[in-house]
Amino acid sequence: MAPDTAASTLAALRLQRDRFVGFAFAAADLLLQVSGEGVITFAVGAAQTLLGCGVDELVGRRFDELLQPADRAIAASLLGSLARGERFQPVTLGLARDGQPPVVFGGCRLGNRPNSFFLSLAISPATAPLDAHKTILPRADFAERAAQHMIAGGRSDAKLTLVAIDELGALEERLGEEVGGGLVSTIERYLYASAASVEAAGQLGTGRYGVIHKSEIDADRLQSGVQSLTRAVDPEGKGVTLRTSTLALDESGMEGSDAARALVYCINQFADSDKGELSIPSLRDGLDKVMAETVARVGNLRVTVADRDFTLVYQPIVHLGSRQVHHVEALARFRDGGSPGDTVAFAEAVRLIADFDLGVCQKVAAVVRQQIGEAVPVAVNISGRSLESAFFTNALMALLRPDLAPGLLIEITESAVVTHMGEVNARIQALRKAGFRVCLDDFGAGANTFHYLRSFEVDFVKIDGSLVKAALQNPRDGKLLGAVAGFCRETGIATIGEMIEDEPAAIGLLNFGIDYAQGYHFGKPVADLNHIKLPSAPPEKAEVRHNVKRKGPVATYGVA
């Protein structure tokens, strides 16, 4: 080849190379060539800006050393997809260098260079720095942020999009902690890139997310990106299904605070339900319907609480050894015939439980005042969530004067999770110091049961009927109940067992060392305290291994 021809060919090749490099730099800040073993063999671009070193210093280093440890497994999986000849949509990864924003990571493999990967790293405004407002919020904080927009009403132009990614939990578990965790972190970054103006994103539950935004979310792009990512890290799997539903947070015609309470309730329902109304294929249609129904229900509950539109019925609780009525539980009944338990759980969920509890306390206090000095006192059942409120506790202490203490016991329910354990225990001790006896209700019904028993100093523990029934049916649960009874006995706490429906169950409970019992065997709820049925004495030949007597009659108020 003539010198001029060779020179012109070389110049043309250099021009073509420079064009390709220019095109690449138009979309990236750093270009890397990486071997099949993950070692960098070539680098060009803004290495000093992104990584604090020159491009020459990158050659010979492992590519994954440039990334945050939490993102290395997901990057390895993506390189594996390139090795299989597949492609993936660019994803956002965090750099190991402190203070650097995440980068958009892309890559390809050329057919004529099967043992090399060509990677690009680019800073993107859409993925933003890792500052406080770009982190994934926990459920409670995210729900509070959404509620603030709802309260603002017409002053807010924000929208809420709920995102359900089916099968994500199973996929994360199958991939293992490193790759599965990296997958979830990357999906969370996709959420912030799903719209041009995302204010907040939150993880509401496994495979359940929320996004607060102003511009429209590109649901198709989000679906495509998540599908591409999951297929890259799990080539043998079937991918995941992504569903979205968007609700404007300026709902006209809704009273702001009620709409906000309803919104928080809907978010929690969506987060906790696998097959509920908010997670079915018609998620987009279902959210508006559930939201409207919940707002109406909040309004009805508010009227019920304000008007004290509920009544009380009473059910006896007896000492298992003597069969004497030891206290009476007053149960709430609503005029609409709805389930009292469901109504109270809803009140807790929409944060109206403190108002409801205070209304109940007023009714019960009136009953106590009418029969001070008589044999059967009255007590009130209070949600642990209400006791998290200093305002509620102050109002309660103002209502429960010291002269009521001999005839009143406070039951703390655990149907709603208590988060401020120390504050609640301090308020329990203030009640006890004022002379009121305190009972921990629903023991054995929730995940935090033993944590509550350890954290709260109380006088009584009421054991949930589900644990009582299980203990009477199989030895394993029986040992658990016996251990609880022994612990309470050693620490001076009286025990109460629920759902006793026949004599064999009563004798069985007594043999576990439980002090008191409640159930249809001893009497159904009645509207008049004077009509409470006195239970019969136990059979003379009943086997009794434990018989712990307690002093003083007690009456409890609760909801069932």
Side-chain angles (χ1 to χ4, degrees), residues 518-543:
Q518 174 184 8
Y520 282 4
H521 181 57
F522 300 118
K524 295 183 178 181
V526 296
D528 190 339
L529 279 170
N530 295 320
H531 293 165
I532 289 178
K533 175 185 174 183
L534 296 177
S536 59
E540 293 182 2
K541 296 183 180 181
E543 178 188 1

Side-chain angles (χ1 to χ4, degrees), residues 71-152:
D71 285 345
R72 292 172 185 173
I74 195 73
S77 296
L78 295 173
L79 291 181
S81 71
L82 294 180
R84 296 188 297 271
E86 302 169 4
R87 297 190 62 182
F88 62 86
Q89 288 197 9
V91 301
T92 308
L93 300 177
L95 294 175
R97 188 185 183 197
D98 291 339
Q100 283 299 105
V103 293
V104 177
F105 170 54
C108 68
R109 188 192 69 161
L110 301 180
N112 61 343
R113 293 182 178 272
N115 295 320
S116 291
F117 306 124
F118 297 88
L119 311 179
S120 65
L121 303 179
I123 300 174
S124 170
T127 58
L130 291 173
D131 54 25
H133 77 283
K134 289 296 182 181
T135 58
I136 294 294
L137 298 175
R139 184 201 300 189
D141 293 346
F142 179 83
E144 183 65 29
R145 185 80 66 88
Q148 290 171 1
H149 281 284
M150 188 64 85
I151 291 173

Side-chain angles (χ1 to χ4, degrees), residues 384 387 393 397 410 412 421-434 436-440 452 455-459:
L387 284 177
T393 306
M397 295 298 288
I410 308 292
I412 310 300
M421 308 292 286
E423 294 178 13
V424 171
N425 186 55
R427 288 161 186 159
I428 289 174
Q429 301 322 305
L431 288 167
R432 295 179 75 203
K433 186 176 180 180
F436 297 98
R437 289 163 290 178
V438 177
C439 174
L440 178 61
Y452 290 169
S455 301
F456 300 152
E457 298 176 52
V458 296
D459 305 287

Side-chain angles (χ1 to χ4, degrees), residues 52 60 67 87 90 104 124 197 241 252 255 299 314 316 354 369 386 405-406 445 522:
L67 305 175
R87 297 190 62 182
V104 177
S124 170
S197 57
T241 302
S252 60
E255 198 275 319
Y314 304 90
R369 290 190 186 97
S386 294
F522 300 118

